[in-house]
Amino acid sequence: MAEEGALRPTRNRRGRYPHGALRRALLEEALRTIGADGVEHLTLRAVGAALGVSRSALYRHFADKQALLAAVAREGFRVLRESLVDAWDAHGHGRAGFEAMGIAYVHFAMTHPSHYRVMFGRFLEDVSRDARLAEEARGAFQVLVDAIVEQQRDGLVRDDDPLMMARFIWSLVHGIAMLEIDGRFTGERARGGEVSRYAVQRIRRAIEKER
Amino acid sequence: MAEEGALRPTRNRRGRYPHGALRRALLEEALRTIGADGVEHLTLRAVGAALGVSRSALYRHFADKQALLAAVAREGFRVLRESLVDAWDAHGHGRAGFEAMGIAYVHFAMTHPSHYRVMFGRFLEDVSRDARLAEEARGAFQVLVDAIVEQQRDGLVRDDDPLMMARFIWSLVHGIAMLEIDGRFTGERARGGEVSRYAVQRIRRAIEKER
DNA sequence: ACCTGAACACCGTTCAAGT
DNA sequence: ACCTGAACACCGTTCAAGT
């Protein structure tokens, strides 16, 4: 059920995890629990127990529960950014690339709901506490801004403030993603995938340069 | 700091709240705490203490903490629905009314962040547990669908599936609302109000009937 | 009918102690 | 260096008892 398949590291004969392996194992067990029970039910005790480790062993690798969640979110923003860049590049930039980015964003949320909820679900008290997390989040947003600027340069989209346009697009894909993974789209044709495909068509018209 | 100003009911001379008054007071104190400290820090003990009441007095009026939060959310959806209908009517329906609805949606979230977070923040384990809550949520969404159908009838917007179009618009305003109240829009011109005004302009073009 | 106060089964976090 | 186990200060919820 883990979102990323990974081998669980085994303990060595002294009953210890090799250097850094427990940290990785804690992260993956947290992700697994979040996926199964929700972030709100994540307990450090259960994470420790699942790995056969004391409940305070975690504090060797993370300052506290917030730091564990911040690590989950940071990893999420990194994977999201890579997904966006991949979609943009794989479709040769331009209009097709931009539309693929929109689809990829919602697809990331649907395939990594545990990551996505921690990234945006207000479980992190203070995002700015972890500088590297803030940097990863900024980086993912920048991919969107850069794609808009490039399209403006090529005359494909309107010459509005690229930051404003990026916030507009981000709001849309974020809204679809959140409503989808929270099961808010009901009915037969309610899948977030369909909504995002419809949205991409409409957005094309909303931002294209008028001639 | 309460979102809705209201007089706190006083206890009578037997040290009791009059019928129903404690329920109302609990709701308002919960809202106040959520606004000040966030939903994640809401504790029933603190709510009781603030009202000078035992921590288990609450269980006379709410089945549990979830039921208290569900009541907050239900009230939120009711006020949201009223705000949308008011905006739609006050601007004479049509395009102006629809745009006013979009602005009103984001404005509701910005002026009632505590309500909004409980409504959409995943603190309610199971929305369908409270039938009246599900009904209020459905009612608010229906206002949007009805407005789209009316505009289609008048030839103002495209003849796409109105449910799909409603989900598209809802995702956008929900995304703006969430990112805004979570402080995710940074920078000088970052206010959710500005993003929603920009969005309304772009959406007009996205959904208008092509001639 | 409404509220109290003690009790229960949980939390995250700390810290002296072990290897 | 890494982990344990007891302890601390919190939670939500239950329930017998009071008025």
Side-chain angles (χ1 to χ4, degrees), chain A residues 75-183:
Chain A
E75 181 175 88
F77 278 113
R78 182 180 54 75
V79 176
L80 172 60
R81 177 174 46 75
E82 290 169 357
S83 304
L84 297 181
V85 170
D86 285 352
W88 176 245
D89 287 344
H91 292 78
H93 298 207
R95 201 151 68 188
F98 198 62
E99 294 180 3
M101 268 183 58
I103 301 293
Y105 188 103
V106 177
H107 184 257
F108 167 83
M110 290 173 69
T111 52
H112 301 73
S114 304
H115 277 110
Y116 203 81
R117 287 221 183 81
V118 178
M119 290 157 68
F120 288 104
R122 271 252 144 188
F123 299 97
L124 280 65
E125 305 270 313
D126 185 8
V127 178
S128 63
R129 210 183 81 166
D130 187 329
R132 287 179 303 179
L133 168 56
E135 180 56 29
E136 286 286 1
R138 209 196 53 77
F141 180 69
Q142 193 60 40
V143 172
L144 175 57
V145 176
D146 291 347
I148 288 170
V149 170
E150 184 176 318
Q151 288 179 96
Q152 287 178 331
R153 190 199 63 201
D154 297 343
L156 295 173
V157 307
R158 302 166 51 87
D159 289 319
D160 297 343
D161 174 10
L163 265 184
M164 186 63 84
M165 196 179 272
R167 287 188 189 112
F168 166 61
I169 306 277
W170 182 28
S171 296
L172 175 62
V173 289
H174 175 63
I176 297 172
M178 285 297 268
L179 294 173
E180 165 62 26
I181 68 179
D182 283 348

Side-chain angles (χ1 to χ4, degrees), chain A residues 27-109:
Chain A
L27 259 178
E28 273 158 20
E29 181 56 33
L31 229 26
R32 209 198 54 74
T33 310
I34 294 168
D37 305 336
V39 207
E40 52 278 5
H41 291 124
L42 177 71
T43 74
L44 301 187
R45 294 159 121 91
V47 168
L51 296 177
V53 124
S54 142
R55 44 179 163 269
S56 44
L58 182 140
Y59 289 85
R60 283 292 130 191
H61 298 94
F62 299 97
D64 51 20
K65 190 178 184 177
Q66 284 291 305
L68 173 66
L69 290 177
V72 169
R74 181 150 61 91
E75 181 175 88
F77 278 113
R78 182 180 54 75
V79 176
L80 172 60
R81 177 174 46 75
E82 290 169 357
S83 304
L84 297 181
V85 170
D86 285 352
W88 176 245
D89 287 344
H91 292 78
H93 298 207
R95 201 151 68 188
F98 198 62
E99 294 180 3
M101 268 183 58
I103 301 293
Y105 188 103
V106 177
H107 184 257
F108 167 83

Side-chain angles (χ1 to χ4, degrees), chain B residues 3-71:
Chain B
E3 292 181 4
E4 270 96 354
L7 299 176
R8 174 163 302 170
T10 48
R11 311 165 83 125
N12 60 28
R13 51 199 161 297
R14 292 175 60 207
R16 296 251 185 96
Y17 283 91
H19 181 69
L22 179 55
R23 185 193 142 89
R24 186 69 235 165
L26 287 164
L27 259 179
E28 274 159 19
E29 180 57 33
L31 229 25
R32 209 199 53 73
T33 310
I34 294 169
D37 305 334
V39 207
E40 51 278 6
H41 291 126
L42 176 72
T43 72
L44 301 187
R45 293 160 123 89
V47 169
L51 297 178
V53 123
S54 141
R55 43 179 163 269
S56 44
L58 182 140
Y59 288 87
R60 283 293 130 192
H61 298 94
F62 298 97
D64 52 19
K65 189 177 185 178
Q66 283 292 305
L68 173 65
L69 290 177

Side-chain angles (χ1 to χ4, degrees), chain A residues 205, chain B residues 95 155-156 208-211:
Chain A
R205 181 155 173 78
Chain B
R95 201 151 68 189
L156 295 172
E208 73 185 354
K209 193 152 188 166
E210 298 173 61
R211 42 188 81 241

Side-chain angles (χ1 to χ4, degrees), chain B residues 44-150:
Chain B
L44 301 187
R45 293 160 123 89
V47 169
L51 297 178
V53 123
S54 141
R55 43 179 163 269
S56 44
L58 182 140
Y59 288 87
R60 283 293 130 192
H61 298 94
F62 298 97
D64 52 19
K65 189 177 185 178
Q66 283 292 305
L68 173 65
L69 290 177
V72 169
R74 182 148 61 91
E75 182 174 89
F77 278 113
R78 182 179 54 76
V79 176
L80 172 60
R81 177 173 46 74
E82 290 169 359
S83 304
L84 297 181
V85 170
D86 286 351
W88 175 244
D89 287 344
H91 292 77
H93 298 206
R95 201 151 68 189
F98 198 61
E99 294 180 4
M101 268 183 58
I103 301 292
Y105 188 102
V106 176
H107 184 257
F108 167 82
M110 290 173 69
T111 51
H112 301 73
S114 304
H115 277 110
Y116 203 80
R117 286 221 185 81
V118 178
M119 290 157 67
F120 289 106
R122 270 253 143 186
F123 299 97
L124 280 64
E125 304 271 311
D126 184 8
V127 179
S128 62
R129 210 183 81 164
D130 186 330
R132 288 178 303 180
L133 168 56
E135 180 57 29
E136 286 286 4
R138 209 196 53 78
F141 180 69
Q142 192 61 40
V143 173
L144 175 58
V145 176
D146 291 347
I148 288 170
V149 169
E150 184 176 318

